Amino acid sequence: MSFTGKYELQSQENFEPFMRAMGLPEDQIQKGKDLKSISEIVQDGKKFTVTVTTGSKVITNKFTIGEESEIELMTGEKIKAVVQMEGNNKLVTQVKGMKSVTELNGDTITYSMTKGDITLKRVSKRI
């Protein structure tokens, strides 16, 4: 199953409490909570390029499954992470006490990020 495609954010849960837990300033949380987000994923075997455009902010991350890569978080912080693939439709990584899971089901990507007892869940559809 290939992740390649463009996906538009349809819904999200726990955005505000999760961003507060991440330490994002309240003004940025309020600005970001209603912005539509487009994710473009290009998969070439084990190599991925993920570009997320939210309003005027663009974050591009490139990684190879099983290899350490530098990943930019939505807070702008850059960290080292290893992304693993579970099955043929799930990308999983652990960073800074958080677990990130990106799961592809047909034309829908569900992205969950958990820090402590708060899980941010975002659902995007292929466009």
PDB file of all heavy atoms in Angstrom, residues 82-118:
ATOM      1  N   VAL A  82      13.590   7.866  14.593  1.00  0.00           N
ATOM      2  CA  VAL A  82      13.585   6.714  13.694  1.00  0.00           C
ATOM      3  C   VAL A  82      12.130   6.321  13.476  1.00  0.00           C
ATOM      4  O   VAL A  82      11.411   6.041  14.425  1.00  0.00           O
ATOM      5  CB  VAL A  82      14.374   5.520  14.283  1.00  0.00           C
ATOM      6  CG1 VAL A  82      14.293   4.309  13.347  1.00  0.00           C
ATOM      7  CG2 VAL A  82      15.825   5.905  14.545  1.00  0.00           C
ATOM      8  N   VAL A  83      11.701   6.342  12.218  1.00  0.00           N
ATOM      9  CA  VAL A  83      10.334   5.957  11.875  1.00  0.00           C
ATOM     10  C   VAL A  83      10.343   4.484  11.469  1.00  0.00           C
ATOM     11  O   VAL A  83      11.177   4.062  10.671  1.00  0.00           O
ATOM     12  CB  VAL A  83       9.783   6.826  10.718  1.00  0.00           C
ATOM     13  CG1 VAL A  83       8.363   6.398  10.360  1.00  0.00           C
ATOM     14  CG2 VAL A  83       9.814   8.306  11.090  1.00  0.00           C
ATOM     15  N   GLN A  84       9.419   3.720  12.054  1.00  0.00           N
ATOM     16  CA  GLN A  84       9.287   2.300  11.731  1.00  0.00           C
ATOM     17  C   GLN A  84       7.965   2.090  10.993  1.00  0.00           C
ATOM     18  O   GLN A  84       7.027   2.871  11.159  1.00  0.00           O
ATOM     19  CB  GLN A  84       9.281   1.454  13.014  1.00  0.00           C
ATOM     20  CG  GLN A  84      10.517   1.600  13.871  1.00  0.00           C
ATOM     21  CD  GLN A  84      11.775   1.011  13.243  1.00  0.00           C
ATOM     22  OE1 GLN A  84      11.739   0.330  12.233  1.00  0.00           O
ATOM     23  NE2 GLN A  84      12.912   1.284  13.857  1.00  0.00           N
ATOM     24  N   MET A  85       7.898   1.030  10.198  1.00  0.00           N
ATOM     25  CA  MET A  85       6.643   0.687   9.548  1.00  0.00           C
ATOM     26  C   MET A  85       6.099  -0.591  10.178  1.00  0.00           C
ATOM     27  O   MET A  85       6.846  -1.547  10.375  1.00  0.00           O
ATOM     28  CB  MET A  85       6.809   0.506   8.047  1.00  0.00           C
ATOM     29  CG  MET A  85       5.471   0.311   7.340  1.00  0.00           C
ATOM     30  SD  MET A  85       5.565   0.294   5.540  1.00  0.00           S
ATOM     31  CE  MET A  85       5.547   2.022   5.153  1.00  0.00           C
ATOM     32  N   GLU A  86       4.819  -0.554  10.532  1.00  0.00           N
ATOM     33  CA  GLU A  86       4.146  -1.741  11.055  1.00  0.00           C
ATOM     34  C   GLU A  86       3.145  -2.181   9.994  1.00  0.00           C
ATOM     35  O   GLU A  86       2.299  -1.385   9.573  1.00  0.00           O
ATOM     36  CB  GLU A  86       3.434  -1.426  12.368  1.00  0.00           C
ATOM     37  CG  GLU A  86       4.380  -1.135  13.509  1.00  0.00           C
ATOM     38  CD  GLU A  86       3.674  -0.866  14.829  1.00  0.00           C
ATOM     39  OE1 GLU A  86       2.432  -0.957  14.888  1.00  0.00           O
ATOM     40  OE2 GLU A  86       4.376  -0.543  15.798  1.00  0.00           O
ATOM     41  N   GLY A  87       3.248  -3.436   9.566  1.00  0.00           N
ATOM     42  CA  GLY A  87       2.399  -3.901   8.472  1.00  0.00           C
ATOM     43  C   GLY A  87       2.772  -3.125   7.216  1.00  0.00           C
ATOM     44  O   GLY A  87       3.928  -2.755   7.022  1.00  0.00           O
ATOM     45  N   ASN A  88       1.795  -2.833   6.368  1.00  0.00           N
ATOM     46  CA  ASN A  88       2.099  -2.048   5.166  1.00  0.00           C
ATOM     47  C   ASN A  88       1.354  -0.722   5.148  1.00  0.00           C
ATOM     48  O   ASN A  88       1.316  -0.047   4.134  1.00  0.00           O
ATOM     49  CB  ASN A  88       1.767  -2.860   3.900  1.00  0.00           C
ATOM     50  CG  ASN A  88       0.274  -3.119   3.770  1.00  0.00           C
ATOM     51  OD1 ASN A  88      -0.503  -2.881   4.689  1.00  0.00           O
ATOM     52  ND2 ASN A  88      -0.135  -3.609   2.618  1.00  0.00           N
ATOM     53  N   ASN A  89       0.747  -0.339   6.299  1.00  0.00           N
ATOM     54  CA  ASN A  89      -0.061   0.881   6.282  1.00  0.00           C
ATOM     55  C   ASN A  89       0.083   1.743   7.537  1.00  0.00           C
ATOM     56  O   ASN A  89      -0.719   2.628   7.772  1.00  0.00           O
ATOM     57  CB  ASN A  89      -1.547   0.527   6.105  1.00  0.00           C
ATOM     58  CG  ASN A  89      -2.119  -0.147   7.343  1.00  0.00           C
ATOM     59  OD1 ASN A  89      -1.433  -0.877   8.044  1.00  0.00           O
ATOM     60  ND2 ASN A  89      -3.382   0.111   7.605  1.00  0.00           N
ATOM     61  N   LYS A  90       1.122   1.483   8.360  1.00  0.00           N
ATOM     62  CA  LYS A  90       1.234   2.238   9.607  1.00  0.00           C
ATOM     63  C   LYS A  90       2.680   2.664   9.842  1.00  0.00           C
ATOM     64  O   LYS A  90       3.590   1.845   9.825  1.00  0.00           O
ATOM     65  CB  LYS A  90       0.752   1.365  10.767  1.00  0.00           C
ATOM     66  CG  LYS A  90       0.482   2.146  12.039  1.00  0.00           C
ATOM     67  CD  LYS A  90       0.040   1.251  13.183  1.00  0.00           C
ATOM     68  CE  LYS A  90      -1.357   0.731  13.006  1.00  0.00           C
ATOM     69  NZ  LYS A  90      -1.824   0.005  14.207  1.00  0.00           N
ATOM     70  N   LEU A  91       2.878   3.978  10.053  1.00  0.00           N
ATOM     71  CA  LEU A  91       4.193   4.535  10.392  1.00  0.00           C
ATOM     72  C   LEU A  91       4.171   4.901  11.870  1.00  0.00           C
ATOM     73  O   LEU A  91       3.252   5.587  12.329  1.00  0.00           O
ATOM     74  CB  LEU A  91       4.475   5.790   9.558  1.00  0.00           C
ATOM     75  CG  LEU A  91       4.432   5.604   8.043  1.00  0.00           C
ATOM     76  CD1 LEU A  91       4.554   6.956   7.344  1.00  0.00           C
ATOM     77  CD2 LEU A  91       5.531   4.665   7.576  1.00  0.00           C
ATOM     78  N   VAL A  92       5.196   4.460  12.608  1.00  0.00           N
ATOM     79  CA  VAL A  92       5.227   4.672  14.057  1.00  0.00           C
ATOM     80  C   VAL A  92       6.598   5.221  14.448  1.00  0.00           C
ATOM     81  O   VAL A  92       7.630   4.743  13.982  1.00  0.00           O
ATOM     82  CB  VAL A  92       4.976   3.343  14.809  1.00  0.00           C
ATOM     83  CG1 VAL A  92       5.028   3.552  16.315  1.00  0.00           C
ATOM     84  CG2 VAL A  92       3.647   2.739  14.404  1.00  0.00           C
ATOM     85  N   THR A  93       6.594   6.234  15.325  1.00  0.00           N
ATOM     86  CA  THR A  93       7.846   6.740  15.878  1.00  0.00           C
ATOM     87  C   THR A  93       7.618   7.210  17.307  1.00  0.00           C
ATOM     88  O   THR A  93       6.503   7.576  17.684  1.00  0.00           O
ATOM     89  CB  THR A  93       8.444   7.867  15.006  1.00  0.00           C
ATOM     90  OG1 THR A  93       9.746   8.175  15.469  1.00  0.00           O
ATOM     91  CG2 THR A  93       7.603   9.120  15.026  1.00  0.00           C
ATOM     92  N   GLN A  94       8.683   7.171  18.101  1.00  0.00           N
ATOM     93  CA  GLN A  94       8.652   7.679  19.478  1.00  0.00           C
ATOM     94  C   GLN A  94       9.643   8.833  19.542  1.00  0.00           C
ATOM     95  O   GLN A  94      10.802   8.658  19.165  1.00  0.00           O
ATOM     96  CB  GLN A  94       9.107   6.592  20.453  1.00  0.00           C
ATOM     97  CG  GLN A  94       8.237   5.363  20.435  1.00  0.00           C
ATOM     98  CD  GLN A  94       7.263   5.303  21.605  1.00  0.00           C
ATOM     99  OE1 GLN A  94       7.217   6.189  22.431  1.00  0.00           O
ATOM    100  NE2 GLN A  94       6.486   4.259  21.649  1.00  0.00           N
ATOM    101  N   VAL A  95       9.167  10.001  19.963  1.00  0.00           N
ATOM    102  CA  VAL A  95      10.048  11.170  20.088  1.00  0.00           C
ATOM    103  C   VAL A  95       9.700  11.956  21.338  1.00  0.00           C
ATOM    104  O   VAL A  95       8.536  12.213  21.609  1.00  0.00           O
ATOM    105  CB  VAL A  95       9.959  12.110  18.862  1.00  0.00           C
ATOM    106  CG1 VAL A  95      10.566  11.488  17.635  1.00  0.00           C
ATOM    107  CG2 VAL A  95       8.538  12.531  18.574  1.00  0.00           C
ATOM    108  N   LYS A  96      10.718  12.294  22.103  1.00  0.00           N
ATOM    109  CA  LYS A  96      10.548  13.174  23.267  1.00  0.00           C
ATOM    110  C   LYS A  96       9.349  12.803  24.136  1.00  0.00           C
ATOM    111  O   LYS A  96       8.527  13.649  24.476  1.00  0.00           O
ATOM    112  CB  LYS A  96      10.422  14.623  22.801  1.00  0.00           C
ATOM    113  CG  LYS A  96      11.678  15.155  22.148  1.00  0.00           C
ATOM    114  CD  LYS A  96      11.599  16.628  21.941  1.00  0.00           C
ATOM    115  CE  LYS A  96      11.647  17.323  23.283  1.00  0.00           C
ATOM    116  NZ  LYS A  96      11.676  18.747  23.242  1.00  0.00           N
ATOM    117  N   GLY A  97       9.212  11.532  24.472  1.00  0.00           N
ATOM    118  CA  GLY A  97       8.127  11.111  25.336  1.00  0.00           C
ATOM    119  C   GLY A  97       6.768  11.074  24.655  1.00  0.00           C
ATOM    120  O   GLY A  97       5.742  10.981  25.307  1.00  0.00           O
ATOM    121  N   MET A  98       6.767  11.166  23.322  1.00  0.00           N
ATOM    122  CA  MET A  98       5.518  11.108  22.566  1.00  0.00           C
ATOM    123  C   MET A  98       5.552   9.913  21.625  1.00  0.00           C
ATOM    124  O   MET A  98       6.617   9.543  21.136  1.00  0.00           O
ATOM    125  CB  MET A  98       5.344  12.354  21.702  1.00  0.00           C
ATOM    126  CG  MET A  98       5.151  13.627  22.455  1.00  0.00           C
ATOM    127  SD  MET A  98       5.008  14.998  21.310  1.00  0.00           S
ATOM    128  CE  MET A  98       6.624  15.045  20.562  1.00  0.00           C
ATOM    129  N   LYS A  99       4.381   9.382  21.342  1.00  0.00           N
ATOM    130  CA  LYS A  99       4.266   8.326  20.341  1.00  0.00           C
ATOM    131  C   LYS A  99       3.432   8.873  19.199  1.00  0.00           C
ATOM    132  O   LYS A  99       2.349   9.404  19.413  1.00  0.00           O
ATOM    133  CB  LYS A  99       3.598   7.080  20.920  1.00  0.00           C
ATOM    134  CG  LYS A  99       3.510   5.954  19.901  1.00  0.00           C
ATOM    135  CD  LYS A  99       2.942   4.688  20.499  1.00  0.00           C
ATOM    136  CE  LYS A  99       2.974   3.560  19.476  1.00  0.00           C
ATOM    137  NZ  LYS A  99       2.427   2.322  20.008  1.00  0.00           N
ATOM    138  N   SER A 100       3.956   8.753  17.992  1.00  0.00           N
ATOM    139  CA  SER A 100       3.267   9.223  16.802  1.00  0.00           C
ATOM    140  C   SER A 100       2.936   8.031  15.922  1.00  0.00           C
ATOM    141  O   SER A 100       3.801   7.211  15.639  1.00  0.00           O
ATOM    142  CB  SER A 100       4.175  10.209  16.055  1.00  0.00           C
ATOM    143  OG  SER A 100       3.645  10.485  14.777  1.00  0.00           O
ATOM    144  N   VAL A 101       1.667   7.950  15.493  1.00  0.00           N
ATOM    145  CA  VAL A 101       1.224   6.868  14.623  1.00  0.00           C
ATOM    146  C   VAL A 101       0.475   7.482  13.439  1.00  0.00           C
ATOM    147  O   VAL A 101      -0.455   8.275  13.634  1.00  0.00           O
ATOM    148  CB  VAL A 101       0.285   5.884  15.358  1.00  0.00           C
ATOM    149  CG1 VAL A 101      -0.191   4.792  14.411  1.00  0.00           C
ATOM    150  CG2 VAL A 101       0.968   5.284  16.578  1.00  0.00           C
ATOM    151  N   THR A 102       0.887   7.136  12.229  1.00  0.00           N
ATOM    152  CA  THR A 102       0.205   7.571  11.017  1.00  0.00           C
ATOM    153  C   THR A 102      -0.296   6.314  10.328  1.00  0.00           C
ATOM    154  O   THR A 102       0.500   5.455   9.948  1.00  0.00           O
ATOM    155  CB  THR A 102       1.171   8.345  10.091  1.00  0.00           C
ATOM    156  OG1 THR A 102       1.713   9.447  10.813  1.00  0.00           O
ATOM    157  CG2 THR A 102       0.448   8.855   8.853  1.00  0.00           C
ATOM    158  N   GLU A 103      -1.622   6.201  10.189  1.00  0.00           N
ATOM    159  CA  GLU A 103      -2.205   4.984   9.635  1.00  0.00           C
ATOM    160  C   GLU A 103      -3.033   5.303   8.395  1.00  0.00           C
ATOM    161  O   GLU A 103      -3.874   6.195   8.407  1.00  0.00           O
ATOM    162  CB  GLU A 103      -3.089   4.311  10.682  1.00  0.00           C
ATOM    163  CG  GLU A 103      -3.611   2.967  10.239  1.00  0.00           C
ATOM    164  CD  GLU A 103      -4.291   2.194  11.363  1.00  0.00           C
ATOM    165  OE1 GLU A 103      -4.397   2.720  12.493  1.00  0.00           O
ATOM    166  OE2 GLU A 103      -4.707   1.063  11.109  1.00  0.00           O
ATOM    167  N   LEU A 104      -2.757   4.571   7.313  1.00  0.00           N
ATOM    168  CA  LEU A 104      -3.465   4.743   6.045  1.00  0.00           C
ATOM    169  C   LEU A 104      -4.504   3.643   5.894  1.00  0.00           C
ATOM    170  O   LEU A 104      -4.191   2.464   5.989  1.00  0.00           O
ATOM    171  CB  LEU A 104      -2.466   4.671   4.887  1.00  0.00           C
ATOM    172  CG  LEU A 104      -3.042   4.737   3.470  1.00  0.00           C
ATOM    173  CD1 LEU A 104      -3.704   6.087   3.225  1.00  0.00           C
ATOM    174  CD2 LEU A 104      -1.939   4.499   2.448  1.00  0.00           C
ATOM    175  N   ASN A 105      -5.764   4.046   5.680  1.00  0.00           N
ATOM    176  CA  ASN A 105      -6.849   3.108   5.391  1.00  0.00           C
ATOM    177  C   ASN A 105      -7.588   3.628   4.168  1.00  0.00           C
ATOM    178  O   ASN A 105      -8.344   4.598   4.273  1.00  0.00           O
ATOM    179  CB  ASN A 105      -7.814   2.990   6.576  1.00  0.00           C
ATOM    180  CG  ASN A 105      -7.224   2.170   7.703  1.00  0.00           C
ATOM    181  OD1 ASN A 105      -6.751   1.070   7.479  1.00  0.00           O
ATOM    182  ND2 ASN A 105      -7.223   2.726   8.895  1.00  0.00           N
ATOM    183  N   GLY A 106      -7.348   3.011   3.000  1.00  0.00           N
ATOM    184  CA  GLY A 106      -7.981   3.482   1.767  1.00  0.00           C
ATOM    185  C   GLY A 106      -7.542   4.893   1.449  1.00  0.00           C
ATOM    186  O   GLY A 106      -6.353   5.141   1.260  1.00  0.00           O
ATOM    187  N   ASP A 107      -8.490   5.836   1.404  1.00  0.00           N
ATOM    188  CA  ASP A 107      -8.187   7.233   1.094  1.00  0.00           C
ATOM    189  C   ASP A 107      -8.133   8.104   2.341  1.00  0.00           C
ATOM    190  O   ASP A 107      -8.183   9.324   2.257  1.00  0.00           O
ATOM    191  CB  ASP A 107      -9.246   7.808   0.138  1.00  0.00           C
ATOM    192  CG  ASP A 107      -9.076   7.276  -1.277  1.00  0.00           C
ATOM    193  OD1 ASP A 107      -7.960   6.826  -1.613  1.00  0.00           O
ATOM    194  OD2 ASP A 107     -10.056   7.303  -2.038  1.00  0.00           O
ATOM    195  N   THR A 108      -8.043   7.481   3.516  1.00  0.00           N
ATOM    196  CA  THR A 108      -8.049   8.224   4.781  1.00  0.00           C
ATOM    197  C   THR A 108      -6.763   7.962   5.556  1.00  0.00           C
ATOM    198  O   THR A 108      -6.336   6.818   5.700  1.00  0.00           O
ATOM    199  CB  THR A 108      -9.250   7.804   5.647  1.00  0.00           C
ATOM    200  OG1 THR A 108     -10.457   8.011   4.908  1.00  0.00           O
ATOM    201  CG2 THR A 108      -9.306   8.602   6.940  1.00  0.00           C
ATOM    202  N   ILE A 109      -6.147   9.051   6.029  1.00  0.00           N
ATOM    203  CA  ILE A 109      -4.994   8.928   6.912  1.00  0.00           C
ATOM    204  C   ILE A 109      -5.411   9.427   8.289  1.00  0.00           C
ATOM    205  O   ILE A 109      -5.984  10.513   8.419  1.00  0.00           O
ATOM    206  CB  ILE A 109      -3.791   9.745   6.399  1.00  0.00           C
ATOM    207  CG1 ILE A 109      -3.116   8.990   5.262  1.00  0.00           C
ATOM    208  CG2 ILE A 109      -2.796  10.016   7.519  1.00  0.00           C
ATOM    209  CD1 ILE A 109      -1.800   9.548   4.818  1.00  0.00           C
ATOM    210  N   THR A 110      -5.168   8.597   9.303  1.00  0.00           N
ATOM    211  CA  THR A 110      -5.420   8.991  10.690  1.00  0.00           C
ATOM    212  C   THR A 110      -4.066   9.155  11.366  1.00  0.00           C
ATOM    213  O   THR A 110      -3.240   8.245  11.361  1.00  0.00           O
ATOM    214  CB  THR A 110      -6.261   7.928  11.423  1.00  0.00           C
ATOM    215  OG1 THR A 110      -7.471   7.733  10.704  1.00  0.00           O
ATOM    216  CG2 THR A 110      -6.572   8.378  12.850  1.00  0.00           C
ATOM    217  N   TYR A 111      -3.850  10.347  11.904  1.00  0.00           N
ATOM    218  CA  TYR A 111      -2.581  10.691  12.541  1.00  0.00           C
ATOM    219  C   TYR A 111      -2.870  10.888  14.020  1.00  0.00           C
ATOM    220  O   TYR A 111      -3.703  11.721  14.389  1.00  0.00           O
ATOM    221  CB  TYR A 111      -2.057  11.968  11.890  1.00  0.00           C
ATOM    222  CG  TYR A 111      -0.867  12.593  12.558  1.00  0.00           C
ATOM    223  CD1 TYR A 111       0.408  12.073  12.366  1.00  0.00           C
ATOM    224  CD2 TYR A 111      -1.008  13.706  13.373  1.00  0.00           C
ATOM    225  CE1 TYR A 111       1.502  12.651  12.977  1.00  0.00           C
ATOM    226  CE2 TYR A 111       0.084  14.290  13.978  1.00  0.00           C
ATOM    227  CZ  TYR A 111       1.331  13.757  13.778  1.00  0.00           C
ATOM    228  OH  TYR A 111       2.418  14.331  14.382  1.00  0.00           O
ATOM    229  N   SER A 112      -2.225  10.097  14.861  1.00  0.00           N
ATOM    230  CA  SER A 112      -2.414  10.221  16.310  1.00  0.00           C
ATOM    231  C   SER A 112      -1.066  10.489  16.965  1.00  0.00           C
ATOM    232  O   SER A 112      -0.083   9.821  16.659  1.00  0.00           O
ATOM    233  CB  SER A 112      -2.983   8.929  16.896  1.00  0.00           C
ATOM    234  OG  SER A 112      -4.194   8.595  16.270  1.00  0.00           O
ATOM    235  N   MET A 113      -1.033  11.471  17.851  1.00  0.00           N
ATOM    236  CA  MET A 113       0.176  11.764  18.605  1.00  0.00           C
ATOM    237  C   MET A 113      -0.211  11.812  20.072  1.00  0.00           C
ATOM    238  O   MET A 113      -1.133  12.532  20.441  1.00  0.00           O
ATOM    239  CB  MET A 113       0.785  13.083  18.140  1.00  0.00           C
ATOM    240  CG  MET A 113       2.194  13.294  18.597  1.00  0.00           C
ATOM    241  SD  MET A 113       2.887  14.756  17.810  1.00  0.00           S
ATOM    242  CE  MET A 113       4.325  14.048  17.075  1.00  0.00           C
ATOM    243  N   THR A 114       0.475  11.001  20.888  1.00  0.00           N
ATOM    244  CA  THR A 114       0.130  10.906  22.302  1.00  0.00           C
ATOM    245  C   THR A 114       1.287  11.387  23.163  1.00  0.00           C
ATOM    246  O   THR A 114       2.423  10.964  22.982  1.00  0.00           O
ATOM    247  CB  THR A 114      -0.220   9.443  22.664  1.00  0.00           C
ATOM    248  OG1 THR A 114      -1.270   9.001  21.807  1.00  0.00           O
ATOM    249  CG2 THR A 114      -0.662   9.328  24.107  1.00  0.00           C
ATOM    250  N   LYS A 115       0.966  12.296  24.081  1.00  0.00           N
ATOM    251  CA  LYS A 115       1.935  12.779  25.073  1.00  0.00           C
ATOM    252  C   LYS A 115       1.231  12.680  26.419  1.00  0.00           C
ATOM    253  O   LYS A 115       0.193  13.318  26.623  1.00  0.00           O
ATOM    254  CB  LYS A 115       2.345  14.217  24.769  1.00  0.00           C
ATOM    255  CG  LYS A 115       3.382  14.748  25.758  1.00  0.00           C
ATOM    256  CD  LYS A 115       3.830  16.142  25.356  1.00  0.00           C
ATOM    257  CE  LYS A 115       4.801  16.729  26.343  1.00  0.00           C
ATOM    258  NZ  LYS A 115       6.155  16.259  26.217  1.00  0.00           N
ATOM    259  N   GLY A 116       1.769  11.845  27.300  1.00  0.00           N
ATOM    260  CA  GLY A 116       1.110  11.626  28.593  1.00  0.00           C
ATOM    261  C   GLY A 116      -0.253  11.009  28.365  1.00  0.00           C
ATOM    262  O   GLY A 116      -0.379  10.008  27.663  1.00  0.00           O
ATOM    263  N   ASP A 117      -1.302  11.651  28.895  1.00  0.00           N
ATOM    264  CA  ASP A 117      -2.656  11.103  28.739  1.00  0.00           C
ATOM    265  C   ASP A 117      -3.472  11.869  27.701  1.00  0.00           C
ATOM    266  O   ASP A 117      -4.687  11.729  27.628  1.00  0.00           O
ATOM    267  CB  ASP A 117      -3.387  11.079  30.081  1.00  0.00           C
ATOM    268  CG  ASP A 117      -3.524  12.465  30.696  1.00  0.00           C
ATOM    269  OD1 ASP A 117      -2.954  13.428  30.153  1.00  0.00           O
ATOM    270  OD2 ASP A 117      -4.194  12.581  31.732  1.00  0.00           O
ATOM    271  N   ILE A 118      -2.801  12.699  26.871  1.00  0.00           N
ATOM    272  CA  ILE A 118      -3.506  13.480  25.851  1.00  0.00           C
ATOM    273  C   ILE A 118      -3.135  12.942  24.467  1.00  0.00           C
ATOM    274  O   ILE A 118      -1.957  12.824  24.135  1.00  0.00           O
ATOM    275  CB  ILE A 118      -3.139  14.978  25.926  1.00  0.00           C
ATOM    276  CG1 ILE A 118      -3.485  15.539  27.316  1.00  0.00           C
ATOM    277  CG2 ILE A 118      -3.868  15.767  24.837  1.00  0.00           C
ATOM    278  CD1 ILE A 118      -2.965  16.933  27.546  1.00  0.00           C
TER     279      ILE A 118
END
